[in-house]
Amino acid sequence: SRAALFDAENRVKITFNDVAGLDEAKEEIKEIVDYLKNPSKFTKLGAKIPKGALLIGPPGTGKTLLAKAVAGEAGVPFFSLSGSDFVEMFVGVGAARVRDLFKQAKEKAPCIIFIDEIDAVGRSRGRGSMPGANDERENTLNSLLVEMDGFATDSGIIILAATNRPDVLDPALQRPGRFDRQISIDKPDIIGREAIFKVHLKPLKLSADVEPKDLAAQTPGFAGAEIANVCNEAALIAARRDKESIDMIDFQDAMDRVIGGLEKKNKLISPEE
Ligand code: ATP
């Protein structure tokens, strides 16, 4: 439907404080906040402001969150769409959607455009997926490249795109003047997990025995999304147990539940392994 062309948020409330860990990525992406807030500082010296950056990392590690925080910090609108939405699109719709998005973004500039799962449209041409479906995907990719080349570097639009498969991307996307910056976002280590727990524990009513350090130690391999999930599950479990505050045992049960969910998902994805 027309209503689902893409999402637009005019006032983003997320800031870097909401993004725990990811110190290096935050440091790199702060430059983009500066480009949006103070473009003339760069253009007056003749510098060309980058148009796009790729955020590369596994699912649930905070790529969307970080992109939103850039918009929040710079105080600019956030337009987003997901590459996977284009996969089963009718002829011409994907390309029209991309043109529409850029038209609106130009009207609202300075702004951020965020493309999640860019690999779904940005796979190197002539590769993968069903025959026939490919042509439309390529049309969409081509219109994205045309739009990216078509706006000036000082137009105030910066495009952030997320992927966990940089290896399949069409090299045309990463040419200079397109997504020529890469920011990698890894799963958090124990220190990062503790920081993420602290963010998501903040709104909860906790018992004295709940320690972010212990939770971090018990969740190796968890991404931020799973940690957020554990925190909410623990609160739901404690509430169901009619408690006044959330105990460590509730977190334990929540972790078991989230681990169970992950195992099930992995089995569904790779049944032959
Ligand atoms: P996907 O590739 O699956 O789209 P993503 O990398 O974009 O995932 P997000 O959607 O940003 O991940 O993360 C999902 C949620 O997980 C966030 O809304 C947030 O609640 C939590 N989260 C993830 N990473 C972090 C982090 N570094 N700090 C705080 N919360 C996090």
Side-chain angles (χ1 to χ4, degrees):
S1 75
R2 292 294 288 178
L5 273 178
F6 48 80
D7 287 330
E9 258 180 75
N10 285 320
R11 277 182 180 279
V12 180
K13 292 210 188 79
I14 290 175
T15 68
F16 287 141
N17 278 337
D18 299 302
V19 188
L22 306 182
D23 294 337
E24 263 177 59
K26 262 198 237 176
E27 214 43 61
E28 287 178 57
I29 218 161
K30 270 183 189 153
E31 290 182 12
I32 293 179
V33 175
D34 226 19
Y35 297 141
L36 289 164
K37 281 169 92 165
N38 208 352
S40 65
K41 173 169 141 187
F42 302 90
T43 53
K44 75 179 180 203
L45 299 185
K48 288 197 191 98
I49 290 176
K51 289 181 176 179
L54 275 183
L55 307 178
I56 299 174
T61 45
K63 299 183 291 298
T64 308
L65 192 67
L66 194 61
K68 266 198 185 169
V70 172
E73 293 280 346
V76 303
F78 183 81
F79 291 90
S80 67
L81 52 79
S82 175
S84 60
D85 292 346
F86 290 105
V87 172
E88 288 180 16
M89 213 152 262
F90 295 110
V91 177
V93 175
R97 197 186 268 209
V98 169
R99 282 194 298 273
D100 251 23
L101 170 67
F102 277 83
K103 186 164 168 271
Q104 288 209 28
K106 279 175 197 158
E107 285 164 12
K108 290 272 177 85
C111 67
I112 289 284
I113 294 178
F114 177 66
I115 306 174
D116 204 2
E117 298 179 67
I118 189 156
D119 42 284
V121 275
R123 245 162 225 276
S124 60
R125 284 167 271 202
R127 198 174 154 157
S129 80
M130 303 158 281
N134 250 2
D135 303 340
E136 183 46 20
R137 192 183 55 70
E138 283 178 18
N139 282 340
T140 307
L141 174 58
N142 287 334
S143 82
L144 177 64
L145 295 175
V146 166
E147 291 294 337
M148 268 191 106
D149 294 344
F151 70 82
T153 56
D154 60 355
S155 66
I157 301 176
I158 292 189
I159 311 168
L160 299 175
T163 183
N164 55 3
R165 295 295 311 274
D167 52 311
V168 303
L169 288 184
D170 195 305
L173 279 168
Q174 296 186 58
R175 297 237 170 88
R178 293 175 181 161
F179 295 101
D180 51 9
R181 305 286 158 116
Q182 298 200 348
I183 298 176
S184 61
I185 299 192
D186 294 320
K187 278 199 180 178
D189 60 7
I190 188 164
I191 308 282
R193 292 197 301 276
E194 184 181 345
I196 297 170
F197 266 111
K198 282 185 178 153
V199 165
H200 291 280
L201 292 174
K202 208 177 281 165
L204 304 182
K205 210 152 173 226
L206 303 175
S207 304
D209 69 336
V210 177
E211 288 291 345
K213 228 190 197 81
D214 299 340
L215 294 168
Q218 292 178 48
T219 46
F222 277 43
E226 283 126 33
I227 291 174
N229 200 353
V230 165
C231 291
N232 195 55
E233 275 298 326
L236 292 173
I237 289 170
R240 224 173 280 129
R241 291 170 176 165
D242 292 319
K243 292 186 180 176
E244 294 300 318
S245 62
I246 312 162
D247 297 313
M248 198 58 187
I249 182 72
D250 305 314
F251 279 96
Q252 228 92 51
D253 292 340
M255 285 186 279
D256 287 346
R257 190 171 285 185
V258 171
I259 290 168
L262 288 177
E263 280 170 356
K264 226 185 258 165
K265 201 163 79 185
N266 288 339
K267 258 192 214 133
L268 288 176
I269 291 168
S270 48
E272 71 274 71
E273 277 170 24

